[in-house]
Amino acid sequence: GAVVSQHPSRVICKSGTSVKIECRSLDFQATTMFWYRQFPKQSLMLMATSNEGSKATYEQGVEKDKFLINHASLTLSTLTVTSAHPEDSSFYICSARDDRFIEKLFFGSGTQLSVL
Amino acid sequence: LAKTTQPISMDSYEGQEVNITCSHNNIATNDYITWYQQFPSQGPRFIIQGYKTKVTNEVASLFIPADRKSSTLSLPRVSLSDTAVYYCLVGEGRDTGRRALTFGSGTRLQVQP
């Protein structure tokens, strides 16, 4: 089946630093990818929609200057958490939609970000 | 986007059949119904997807009544490893473009020995 690779799986950083998370579709092309965040024992919250070759669309309340999204190719989207603070600590999950089967959404394994 | 309502939690025992029902009263004509499973600290995993009637795969069945305002995920003979959160999502029909799927609260299934 379709595979979405997300790296790193876990990252610990100091407050004020930036962290980049990569999301790759390994065996399919994905014009559209999505980024979610999830706090403990809560559901996934959509942060932004990433479209290849164009600007990302952010959900209300999500700071676009803090969460930079780049979707430079049909198989790669990156999320950069800039000037991270402890409140940014969360589980970040990417997902990608196979261009051939847009009904299905495939998810990465997630990145646990801990900001000290 | 269609809002979904599921039970917050369910308990079962190994070997039993588990049915989780999801309500989606304002489902759109082109919307599909998709169920995902999530284990702690992992991304959601696709279980099954359907549009109407019944769909069955190697791990589950999905029952959708004619009015499509609800759906039931059926897990046959659950095991301890089926303990997880199950999400019902509605949306992203073939003709609706590339909207994201919105997650509801999910159902936390606990399987006991």
Side-chain angles (χ1 to χ4, degrees):
Chain A
V3 176
V4 175
S5 175
Q6 185 174 344
H7 291 284
S9 59
R10 182 178 296 274
V11 57
I12 301 172
C13 69
K14 293 182 179 180
S15 185
T17 60
S18 295
V19 174
K20 179 185 284 189
I21 303 170
E22 290 190 349
C23 181
R24 295 180 184 272
S25 56
L26 295 186
D27 52 1
F28 63 93
Q29 293 186 333
T31 300
T32 304
M33 294 185 178
F34 307 99
W35 287 94
Y36 295 82
R37 66 186 299 181
Q38 185 176 33
F39 293 106
K41 298 194 181 301
Q42 293 187 23
S43 186
L44 284 76
M45 294 188 303
L46 179 66
M47 298 175 66
T49 300
S50 170
N51 296 299
E52 187 268 338
S54 64
K55 292 183 179 180
T57 303
Y58 291 82
E59 294 299 300
Q60 190 174 6
V62 178
E63 298 177 58
K64 63 179 182 180
D65 294 330
K66 180 167 189 60
F67 298 101
L68 300 179
I69 291 174
N70 184 279
H71 194 154
S73 78
L74 288 173
T75 59
L76 174 64
S77 176
T78 60
L79 169 68
T80 301
V81 183
T82 62
S83 188
H85 291 285
E87 57 266 29
D88 298 323
S89 297
S90 185
F91 191 56
Y92 292 86
I93 307 170
C94 73
S95 64
R97 187 177 304 285
D98 190 330
D99 284 349
R100 300 165 300 174
F101 311 107
I102 64 171
E103 306 88 20
K104 293 185 180 180
L105 202 58
F106 300 99
F107 289 82
S109 55
T111 298
Q112 182 63 53
L113 171 64
S114 300
V115 185
L116 304 178
Chain B
L1 296 175
K3 177 180 166 57
T4 59
T5 303
Q6 306 172 229
I8 294 295
S9 64
M10 293 183 69
D11 293 308
S12 183
Y13 292 94
E14 281 191 294
Q16 289 189 334
E17 177 184 79
V18 171
N19 296 307
I20 306 174
T21 297
C22 177
S23 296
H24 28 79
N25 291 319
N26 59 339
I27 187 170
T29 302
N30 292 329
D31 284 344
Y32 279 70
I33 300 159
T34 313
W35 285 79
Y36 290 87
Q37 175 193 55
Q38 186 183 30
F39 297 112
S41 299
Q42 293 187 28
R45 183 175 74 99
F46 174 89
I47 301 175
I48 197 167
Q49 184 181 69
Y51 182 79
K52 62 180 178 181
T53 62
K54 176 183 175 183
V55 179
T56 298
N57 61 23
E58 63 275 10
V59 297
S61 294
L62 178 59
F63 299 92
I64 305 169
D67 65 6
R68 303 197 333 119
K69 293 183 182 300
S70 68
S71 60
T72 299
L73 173 72
S74 181
L75 303 173
R77 298 180 297 281
V78 294
S79 64
L80 296 177
S81 61
D82 292 318
T83 294
V85 178
Y86 293 82
Y87 293 98
C88 157
L89 285 83
V90 173
E92 276 308 309
R94 288 181 181 274
D95 302 320
T96 58
R98 301 180 184 281
R99 290 178 290 122
L101 294 180
T102 300
F103 282 78
S105 60
T107 297
R108 192 172 298 273
L109 172 65
Q110 180 69 50
V111 180
Q112 306 281 0

